[in-house]
Amino acid sequence: QSALTQPASVSGSPGQSITISCTGTSSDVGGYDFVSWYQQHPGKVPRLMIYDVSNRPSGVSNRFSGSKSGNTASLTISGLQAEDEADYYCSSYTLSSTPVFGTGTRVTVL
Amino acid sequence: EVQLVQSGAEVKKPGESLKVSCKGSGYDFTDYWIGWVRQMPGKGLEWMGIIYPGDSDTRYRPSFQGQVTISADKSINTAYLQWSSLKASDTAIYYCARPEYNSHTFFYWGQGTSVTVS
């Protein structure tokens, strides 16, 4: 059960849009519409930002959106703001009936 | 309001045992799964396992099977993560987390318990 693959870092200027990829296999990302994304600021608790590929929990800004194509899921942050600077982790349900997290992506706002 | 409150930071020696707790409130404790997530220093999130307090159905990530024990006491709305013999490599922050409608999407998180083994 290997971790899903994410880029180590992504950066953008305020107001820009960035996209973080999350690549798995047909046994996880490609096989289920159960991809989630979590935001974690340094020293803080993870926070759910997207679930079931593209749904936002109550209270999450609509600047965050999710999608999936084949074995790769994506998180897009539009109108990038300083407060978006954090680590982001994807997660997917797997054939083993358990979830697996991604390797994590550090988002830097330039 | 759903809350998960974890026990405090621990400093232990290798070989010692440890049990950390996660108390749920604001919902029916027996109706929702509770999972445990490890975050080693400077590293990412790792799903460890999950328990359904209603019937104690428990599942582990294979790499954690036999290394930790997940349990729950529904009479006091508390889930546990325990070790019988700690190793230095168990040093990490451990989060409990609760899904909303399935067993694997964590909507609610505890504040984390720091475990240092040295």
Side-chain angles (χ1 to χ4, degrees):
Chain A
Q1 202 175 47
S2 300
L4 307 174
T5 301
Q6 299 180 230
S9 62
V10 173
S11 62
S13 299
Q16 285 187 330
S17 292
I18 62 169
T19 296
I20 303 168
S21 61
C22 170
T23 302
T25 69
S26 58
S27 296
D28 38 62
V29 174
Y32 306 92
D33 286 335
F34 293 135
V35 176
S36 305
W37 290 90
Y38 299 87
Q39 176 193 63
Q40 186 181 33
H41 288 105
K44 301 298 186 182
V45 177
R47 177 191 179 193
L48 180 66
M49 304 301 284
I50 295 288
Y51 68 98
D52 293 354
V53 177
S54 59
N55 294 302
R56 279 187 307 276
S58 174
V60 172
S61 170
N62 60 10
R63 297 186 299 104
F64 292 84
S65 62
S67 63
K68 191 186 86 165
S69 178
N71 295 339
T72 298
S74 299
L75 173 72
T76 298
I77 309 174
S78 57
L80 198 62
Q81 299 180 1
E83 68 204 48
D84 301 330
E85 190 161 287
D87 294 324
Y88 291 82
Y89 297 91
C90 62
S91 173
S92 174
Y93 189 68
T94 74
L95 193 61
S96 304
S97 301
T98 58
V100 63
F101 284 104
T103 51
T105 298
R106 172 68 55 89
V107 168
T108 302
V109 181
L110 301 171
Chain B
E1 179 195 6
V2 173
Q3 283 195 312
L4 299 173
V5 178
Q6 298 183 228
S7 49
E10 303 274 2
V11 179
K12 293 291 203 178
K13 292 181 169 32
E16 292 186 330
S17 62
L18 176 64
K19 194 173 190 178
V20 300
S21 66
C22 170
K23 184 175 177 63
S25 63
Y27 69 98
D28 191 332
F29 187 73
T30 58
D31 281 352
Y32 296 87
W33 294 85
I34 286 189
W36 288 94
V37 175
R38 182 175 78 174
Q39 188 165 38
M40 299 176 75
K43 302 298 183 184
L45 305 175
E46 297 175 272
W47 186 89
M48 301 176 69
I50 200 159
I51 187 166
Y52 189 75
D55 61 7
S56 294
D57 183 11
T58 309
R59 303 169 191 177
Y60 296 90
R61 180 177 178 174
S63 56
F64 289 100
Q65 182 88 44
Q67 307 304 307
V68 297
T69 300
I70 294 171
S71 61
D73 184 340
K74 57 188 179 183
S75 70
I76 55 172
N77 292 357
T78 301
Y80 300 97
L81 177 66
Q82 68 180 87
W83 295 258
S84 59
S85 180
L86 286 160
K87 301 185 282 287
S89 57
D90 293 317
T91 295
I93 295 175
Y94 294 88
Y95 295 100
C96 65
R98 200 212 85 175
E100 179 65 16
Y101 63 95
N102 57 29
S103 65
H104 49 84
T105 306
F106 296 123
F107 279 70
Y108 304 98
W109 292 71
Q111 82 274 22
T113 296
S114 174
V115 174
T116 301
V117 184
S118 177

